[in-house]
Structures are given as C-alpha cells and as structure tokens.
Amino acid sequence: MVSPDLDLLQGTLNVLVLRALSWQPMHGYAVARFIREGSGARFRILDGALYTALHRMEELGWVESSWGQSDRGKRAKFYEITTAGRRALKAETTAWSQYVTAVAGVMRARPETA
Amino acid sequence: MLHDLLSDLRFRFRALFRRGDVERELAEELRAHLDAETDRLIREGLPVADAERRARLALGGIEQVKEATRDARGIGAFETVQQDIVYALRGLRREPAFTAFIVVTLALGIGANAAMFGVIDRLLLRGAEHVRDGGQVKRLYATRRVRSGLNETSNDFGYVTYTVARAETTAFADAAAYHVVDATIGSGAASQAIREGQATASFFPLLGVQPAIGRFFSPDEDRVLGAQHVAVLGYGLWQRLFGGSERALGSTIRLNSGESFVVIGVAPRGFTGAELASVDVWTPLSLLSTQMTDWATSWSWTYLSVIVRLKPGVTPAQASSAMTAAYGRAFPHRAGDVVQLTVRPISSNEHGAEPVEARVAAWLVAVAAIVLLVACANIISLQLARLMRRRREMAVRVALGAGRARLTRLLLTEGMLVAAGGGVAALGVAYALGELLRRSILTHVEWSGPPVDARVLLVTLAIAVVTGAAVGLMPALSVRAPDLTAALKSDARTGSSTRSHARTALMVAQAAVSVVLLIGAGLFIRSVRNVYALDLGVQADRVIAVSLDVPPIPGEPSGGLAQRRSRFSAAAVTRVRQLPGIDDAALANGLPFRGVSGIGIHIPGRDSLPALRDGGPRIQGVDSHYFATVGTRILRGRPFTSIDETGNERVAIVSDRLARAYWPNEDPLGKCFVIGSSTNPCARIVGIAENTYTRIIVEEPGLEFFVPIAQMPFGGITTLVARPRGEPVTMVGPVRRALLELDSTVAYLNIATLEEAMDPQVRPWKLGATVFALMGGLAVLVATAGLYSLLSYMVTQRTREISVRMALGADWMRVVGMIVQWSVIVCAVGTAIGVSVALVAGPYLAPLLFRTSPRDPMVFVIIGAVLFAVSVLATIAPAYRAQRIDPMTALRAE
C-alpha cells in the first residue's frame, strides 16, 4: 500500500524542529532527516521551509546557531535549543496534546439522541 | 539566561553589521544540505545528475529559500537605509562636478546663516553673558519733559534715584547702579588704557554672576564715604597681567596713576556687566562719593545707569508705575520735570529704544535666510534638470518593482547626503565668516567663545536637515509615473525638458533676489559714505584729542588738584603748540563725540524758549585757539581772544542753529543770555559759529554754544586738541612724549583722532553695508553659477536640435542667439521683479539708512547694469560651446 505523503499542518513545523533539537544540537540536514524518519517518511516538507523555520526561530531566540564539524568531517552549521525555545516547545506540546484530545473527542462523539 | 541574552545580541549584531558574512554562511549551509541530500540519493542508487536535481527540488529553489530566510530574519528597514545610502553615494559620485557644486553652494548658504545666527545670538538673543534669568533684569529710563512739551527719554541717573529704586521693594527684588569709564592702569610710560566699571555692591548679586576666583565687593566695601579700594579684575585683564594665576588675589594694582587697589576677585570669562562692551576692572561705585561731598544726594551728577531685577510676577508696566510713584514721593519738587520712569529691556539703547544694531541684525538674518533660499532654489532647479536626465534610470527601477515610495526615499537620501556634506563644510564657512565679522565690524563686543559653539552647531544641523529634505523632496515630488513610462519608451534626450517652467521660474526668482540684496548693499554703502561726507562742523579727521588726566596726590588740599590741573593744561597746550608738525593746539572742556554736557539757559525778557528734539542746549568751554584748531568756522562776529580767556565780562559764541532758534528775527550779536542758574550774569554773544554735531550722528546738529574755559559753570576733564600739519597718526607719538616730559606722573594719555571717537556710531551702517554686500555677492555668485550650469545643460540637451539646424544651413549666431536670448530675458525679468520688490520694501529699510533715500536711482541703475553684465558673461562659455558643435559628429553620435 502506498502511503500518501502528508502535508504538514501549518505551525507544526516549529514544534517538530524544536523537538528534534531538544534531544541534541543538530545541523539542518540532520533535523530534516529526523523529521522524515520520525514520521516514517510520510511528511512532505520542502527542505527550504525548514531552513526558513530555523532562521525564524533563531530570530525569535528559540534556537541559537554555531559552526562546527559534521560527522563527515565537513563544516556545518549546528542549531541548539535555548531556554526560551524549551519553554516554547513545552507550550506547543501542550497545545498539540489539547488539539489531539479535542479532535479525538469529536471523532468519538455521537449525535445526541432526541 | 545570560548566555541566551548574549547570543541574541551577537545574532542581532551580525545581522546588522555582518550582512555579507551572514549571506555567505546561508549559502554555505544550503549548499551543505544539498550535497548531503545528493549523496544520500546517490547511495540509494540514483544517477548523479538525477540525484542532484531531486535534491534541488526537495530544497525548493535556493534563491527563494534565501529570500524567505532573509525575510524571516526581519532586519529589513535598516538594511534598506544602508542600501539607499550606497545607491545615493554611487549616483552622486558619477557626477562629481555637479555634486561638488551643490555641496559648495550649500556650504556657503548654510554657513552664512550659521554665522549670522552666531552674531544675532550674542547681540540679541543671549544678551550679556553670565546674567541669570536675563528677562527679569531691566534698565531704568526717565522720560523728562523738555520745556515746550517735547519729551526726551534717557537713562542717566544720579545716585539719588538709585537709592529710591533700592527702597522700592514692592516691584524690585534688587537694584544696582553702575558707570563705565575710560581709565588707565599702571603709571607713566608703562600705562595702558582700560575700561573701568564702577558698580554698586548689589550689581553682581543682581545679575547672578559667580566670580572665577575670589569674590565680589561686599556692601561694606561700597559704603558711601567709606568705600574701600578693592577691585575685581575682568577675565581678560587677569590673563594679561597675571597670566591667570591665583596669586592675583591680594595683589595691588594702580588705577589712574594715583590710587592703589587690592584685587579681591576675578570675573568669569565673557562677563561684561549689563552691556556688551568689554570691561577690564570693576571698582566700588561709592569711591566717587569722596570727590564731591554731597555726591550721594546731589542732582548734578546724573550719569549712572540703573538696573533692576523685577520681583517674580511683577510686570514691567507695574514696575514702571511703582517706580514713578516712588520717585514722585521722594522728590516732589523734582517730579514736575519727570513725566514717568519706565523699565525696559536691558539691551535698549540710551533712549530706551531697540538698539540700531539689533534692528540691522534682524534684517541681516532675513538676508542670510534669503540667500539660503536662493541657493536651495538653484540646487532644486539643477536637480530637476538632472532628474530629467535620469528618467530612464528611474523608470527601470520602477519597472523592477521599486515603487514610488522607494524612489522618493532614494532621492531624499541623496538630498540628505549632499546637505550633510554641505553642513560640515558650512561649519568652516561659519567660522571664517564669524571671525571676519568679529574682527572687522564687531570689535567692540566681548566674545566669550569661538564663532562656532554648541548653539551654532545645533542650528547648522537643523538647517542642514531641513535643506536636505527640501532639496531631496522637491524634485521627487515632481516625478510622475506617466513621465517615467514615457521615458522608457522614447529617446530620453528629446527636448520638452528644456522648457520646464519650474526651472525658468526658479532662475527668475534667483535673479530677483540677487538684485534685491545688491540694492540693499548699495543703499547701505551710500549711507556709510554719506556719514563720512557729513559736514560735522569740526574736521574730525584732522584733529587729535588728548585727555589730560592729572592724578590726585594723596593728602593734597582740595583746591590743590584743580590748580595743578590748570597749570598743567596751560603748560601742555603751550608745549604742544611749539612742536614741529603741529599747526595749532587748544584746550576744551567738552568735545564733540567725547562728551558734551547740557545746561539750561535763560533769556532775559522771555518766559519760554523753543526746544529741539535733541535736547540741549549744550555747552563747551574753549580757549582762543579752539576754533582754528578744530576747523569750526565763525560765521559772523569773532572767536574768543586772550582777553576773553582771562577777562571778567561774560561772553559766549552760539551756533547758527541756536541763533536761529532763539533769535529768529533779530541779530543775536550783542544780545545776552544767562547760563545755568538765573543769578548768573548775562553772557554777551560775540560770535556765531557754524553748526557742529556733538553727540549722535543720526540727528540734526543740536543747539550748541561756547564760553571761555574759565567761565564754565562747572568743572570737568580738560581735553587738549591739536591740529597736525600732515597725517594726524604721525604726531601721536611726539605729542605723547612731549606731554610725558612735562609731567611723567600723568597716566596714559588717550590720544586719538576725533574720527575714531565717532566710530562706534558709524558701525551699524558699516555692518549693514558689509553684510548686505557679502550676501548680495554670494547670491549673485550662486545665481551666476546656476545660470551657467543650466545653460550648459540646455546646450547639451539641444545639441541634436542645434546640429540639425546648422546642418540645414542656419548661421551659428542665430542658433546661439536663442540661448543668449533666453538668458537675457530671464535676467531682465528677474531684475525687473527685484527692482519692484526693492521699491516696495524700501520704506521699511529707510529708518536704518542715513540720508539715503531707499529709492536712490543711482543705486538701482548700477545694480541693474551689473546684473545685465553678469547674465551676458554667464552665457559666453555655453554659447561658445554651442557654436563649436560639429553637426556631422553630433548627429552621428545618436
């Protein structure tokens, strides 16, 4: 069975990136790989959007960047989550859980019998 | 937490200032991603080319990513401004001559305004230095009724009036009196002339000034008949005598060859009391009380200035009426004379009006502003021309999505950059111009700082900003979208731009303004010449005057000083008369421009006498050589003889004006009148002298009369006047030496020509003439340069048209004639407008002129001719270039 690629819901990209970085500092390619593998290769992301998100989050102060060596020995830009970023991750995660619970609730619900 | 903050700052810093690095890093980052993805796809088995393509697709297009990322970083505004500046600089650098011209023009215009502001700031706005809350400090004036119902306002008071003001505590927080005189410091040949301020102890606290070192007088040291010989040095004198050292305190100085004073303090730099002229030393006023026993209560000594500080909440009007009432209560027998006492701004002149210098200065500020406007008009006109040239460039920018706002911003940036450059250069111009004015015509004012101080700097900045905005925005506002698209489509060099109405109008305006300024200059120059050409009744440029200041000897009996003085005077005048190179010498008590006193007279048999606006009559005591020495002609009768000098009969010589005023229908010779107190004997008129000016030049000659020195009703300083055969300056040294030989204790003898004494009064006209001429010259310069560049531009624009005409056989003269014609017409119209404006505005300038009609035809004709010549000159070079156009080359270059 062919699983269709899913389009990422607006606003969830930030959460996924933050979650990735909450494990360890990563460079952009590693974050992309993390999301792709974590979603079972389901999510279709334009990698460009990823970098946009990373830079926006850096501007917001949720991540900070530094240059280092990748596992292949090449120069790569690593991103690290900040304290503010962790707070944002926590808030977004809570929001996401509430969202999921709400959706599941509606899915379970039956119409009221008269 | 701190770590996060620091990294945030580092991020922002890099975003602002390391833009290039950031861009490079982004490219590197994306490239690394692409490589990694490509490698992965290759390992999954795709061929290299496909892998690369898939990787790029997955990324989504590098440029878009970069753009999106840049937007996400959001430091847009600052970067745009930076970009604007870079573009603007590039554009300006492409046309260096144009840019240089604008910057220089702006520098001159802004600099001139800044310099004028500096002058006005000192003369008008700030007033005297070191005065706390100057608006509350006022000067006292008295308006007295001169007998026929005319009033005269003046600010000469006696100590008595000061006492009344001091006691009037409902209106005044404090009162002070002062008097500035010429004095000498040191003795004998080593003495110098200085200005001594004699002031009450309340003077300094009233003004709110703090000493630089030491202290000011205490009230104890300024007691009437018990004043101490203490002195406060002026800052400049302190530097000169003591090099600014603190050991000045407690040391002794000798003033006027007689008296020793102990220095107790030094005034701060720039302190000149309540007026602007410099003062070298301050001494307690009450020291004068020892010269005359009832000095503090007498009515004969009325030469003090009285200043007051109003109580908070008291208006000048209230203060005036309070003082008038107090005066009336204190001196009921005198009150009939005085109509009222008023308090006026401290900068007012001796008649209670705004000083002439202030009014001239106000005009000058207007003039400087106009010159700046001319400069701006010029620049805007050139910018318009340049903008037309750049239509294509603008159109392309718009097509690329720049938007009108962005374009306007770009032009504004250009304007600001140019104004910034001009502003910086303007500071140099302001400094130079300020120094020039200070040294040439404002020498009497004590300047406490450089011509460019913080306030001038601020004003320059403000003017530069406004100018930059105007110069940048005006052309921008005229750029319209249809013009731009049309520019893209058509050949941008075709001709409608040359007939821009706006530019023509601006050029005409510039010509008009130049004309007005030059006419102003011409009128002032005429005034100055009229002043010097005035028949003063004395030959001021041929006469040198010497004050004979014989110092008192301590312990001398009271009549002794007077005797010594008169012996010295007699010996002096005899000695000087014998000097080779001196034609004649005389003694006088009261001399034109160096102080002539007024006195009342009474004609037996008449109840009242007509009086002139000038007040008077005024009296001078002279000897038998006086009239010959100073060159005053005796119209009828005779001068004094040696018999009159020593004789008992009272005689007098009256001026023609006085004779006509008081004896209109009869011959005054032989008539007599009583001088001063009515118990005095009647003085017989033996001669009528030509009119002389003794005080101020503005007014008509006053009512003057002369008596022999010995018959003067009151004492005074005797002045020796000498008439050198050749140049007066050459005899100054010999005269001084001769006098010092006679008596070496005599202090510095203030030797100067009468003309020099007159100088302070000519100054306002000189100031006006100089500045108007400078500004007018500047305006003409700017206008001419503008005309020249416009014409050059026109020739370049119409090269094609000219070539075609010439190729078709037209004579080059006719072609060039078109251009010259435009130029001459513009200048003619501009001159006509300028002349009309000058004619209309003339009456407003009239009070500031001297015996010059504001519609003086000669000035107008000369200026008109000058401008015509200028307009023709400006067209020569462009016309020459037009004539040299080779039609074949020009057409082929299309």
Side-chain angles (χ1 to χ4, degrees), chain B residues 630-887:
Chain B
V630 300
T632 302
R633 288 175 302 140
I634 302 292
L635 299 174
R636 289 195 309 133
R638 60 171 182 78
F640 294 134
T641 63
S642 41
I643 304 173
D644 298 316
E645 280 175 8
T646 51
N648 277 329
E649 194 202 355
R650 297 290 168 135
V651 289
I653 295 176
V654 298
S655 71
D656 190 44
R657 200 119 192 273
L658 193 150
R660 284 179 207 277
Y662 289 178
W663 292 274
N665 301 317
E666 5 170 13
D667 185 4
L669 285 178
K671 300 275 191 304
C672 79
F673 60 99
V674 173
I675 304 170
S677 158
S678 50
T679 54
N680 285 341
C682 205
R684 187 169 61 91
I685 300 176
V686 298
I688 301 180
E690 67 173 320
N691 291 320
T692 54
Y693 284 81
T694 55
R695 286 211 315 185
I696 315 173
I697 300 183
V698 186
E699 294 148 42
E700 297 279 317
L703 307 176
E704 321 283 342
F705 66 95
F706 306 85
V707 296
I709 290 190
Q711 296 177 14
M712 276 289 274
F714 50 79
I717 298 282
T718 304
T719 313
L720 185 149
V721 281
R723 187 190 185 83
R725 191 162 301 144
E727 272 300 311
V729 174
T730 58
M731 290 308 296
V732 167
V735 168
R736 188 187 305 141
R737 271 198 298 278
L739 291 173
L740 284 173
E741 275 170 27
L742 265 185
D743 185 346
S744 62
T745 67
V746 174
Y748 182 93
L749 304 169
N750 188 6
I751 306 182
T753 59
L754 274 189
E755 206 171 37
E756 283 168 37
M758 214 171 88
D759 197 51
Q761 306 195 21
V762 192
R763 223 177 269 125
W765 293 295
K766 274 187 173 168
L767 181 66
T770 311
V771 179
F772 265 92
L774 263 176
M775 298 291 176
L778 203 61
V780 167
L781 206 66
V782 167
T784 311
L787 183 61
Y788 171 81
S789 47
L790 257 184
L791 287 172
S792 302
Y793 171 72
M794 275 170 73
V795 166
T796 317
Q797 281 302 98
R798 299 171 73 173
T799 302
R800 198 171 177 222
E801 182 188 338
I802 295 171
S803 329
V804 166
R805 284 182 195 251
M806 281 169 63
L808 287 179
D811 184 356
W812 69 263
M813 272 214 296
R814 196 179 321 167
V815 159
V816 161
M818 294 183 319
I819 297 180
V820 173
Q821 193 185 48
W822 182 84
S823 154
V824 168
I825 288 180
V826 160
C827 283
V829 171
T831 307
I833 295 180
V835 163
S836 319
V837 168
L839 284 173
V840 165
Y844 293 100
L845 196 60
L848 298 176
L849 300 175
F850 184 75
R851 291 207 177 166
T852 307
S853 158
R855 304 193 172 165
D856 190 327
M858 188 151 98
V859 169
F860 280 70
V861 164
I862 292 181
I863 301 301
V866 163
L867 222 73
F868 180 75
V870 157
S871 72
V872 167
L873 275 173
T875 58
I876 286 183
Y880 180 67
R881 271 198 313 146
Q883 171 253 62
R884 293 202 55 195
I885 291 175
D886 177 14

Side-chain angles (χ1 to χ4, degrees), chain A residues 28-29 32 36 45-48 51-52 55-56 58-59 61 64-65 67 72 74-75 77 79 82-84, chain B residues 3-4 7 10-12 25-26 28-30 33 36-37 39-40 43 57-59 65 68-69 72-73:
Chain A
Y29 190 71
R36 195 175 44 237
I45 320 170
L46 272 185
D47 294 337
Y51 282 98
T52 308
H55 284 260
R56 194 181 304 115
E58 188 173 12
E59 213 259 323
E64 62 186 27
S65 62
W67 282 88
R72 284 163 182 266
K74 291 213 187 113
R75 220 166 92 92
K77 196 172 185 190
Y79 291 88
T82 64
T83 319
Chain B
H3 176 72
D4 287 353
S7 67
R10 198 177 62 108
F11 174 82
R12 295 201 185 280
E25 283 179 2
L26 179 59
E28 197 176 339
E29 191 180 6
L30 293 176
H33 180 102
E37 182 70 1
D39 286 348
R40 185 181 72 90
R43 267 179 288 124
L57 282 173
L59 187 58
V65 174
T69 320
R73 282 183 167 256

Side-chain angles (χ1 to χ4, degrees), chain B residues 301-368:
Chain B
W301 296 78
T302 55
Y303 54 85
L304 301 179
S305 295
V306 177
I307 56 172
V308 294
R309 180 177 282 278
L310 298 178
K311 272 214 156 107
V314 173
T315 67
Q318 291 169 338
S320 301
S321 27
M323 184 64 195
T324 309
Y327 189 88
R329 281 196 303 274
F331 312 112
H333 58 290
R334 280 257 152 185
D337 245 1
V338 173
V339 173
Q340 62 164 268
L341 289 145
T342 48
V343 294
R344 305 199 188 187
I346 203 172
S347 60
S348 312
N349 65 7
E350 65 266 14
H351 290 302
E354 202 182 35
V356 172
E357 267 154 339
R359 276 183 291 159
V360 170
W363 273 87
L364 298 181
V365 166
V367 163

Side-chain angles (χ1 to χ4, degrees), chain B residues 486-505:
Chain B
L488 265 184
K489 290 190 212 143
S490 73
D491 181 334
R493 282 180 290 169
T494 48
S496 73
S497 52
T498 57
R499 296 215 189 283
S500 157
H501 292 299
R503 280 214 308 284
T504 314

Side-chain angles (χ1 to χ4, degrees), chain B residues 100-119 368 371-372 375 419-438 450-453 456-457 460 463 771 774-775 778-779 781-782:
Chain B
F101 172 75
I102 293 187
V103 168
V104 165
T105 308
L106 281 181
L108 290 174
I110 298 178
N113 274 277
M116 287 319 305
F117 172 77
V119 168
V371 169
L372 185 60
V424 167
L427 291 176
V429 170
Y431 191 90
L433 194 58
E435 279 293 323
L436 176 69
L437 284 174
R438 284 183 184 194
V452 176
D453 60 7
V456 171
L457 203 64
T460 309
I463 297 178
V771 179
L774 263 176
M775 298 291 176
L778 203 61
L781 206 66
V782 167

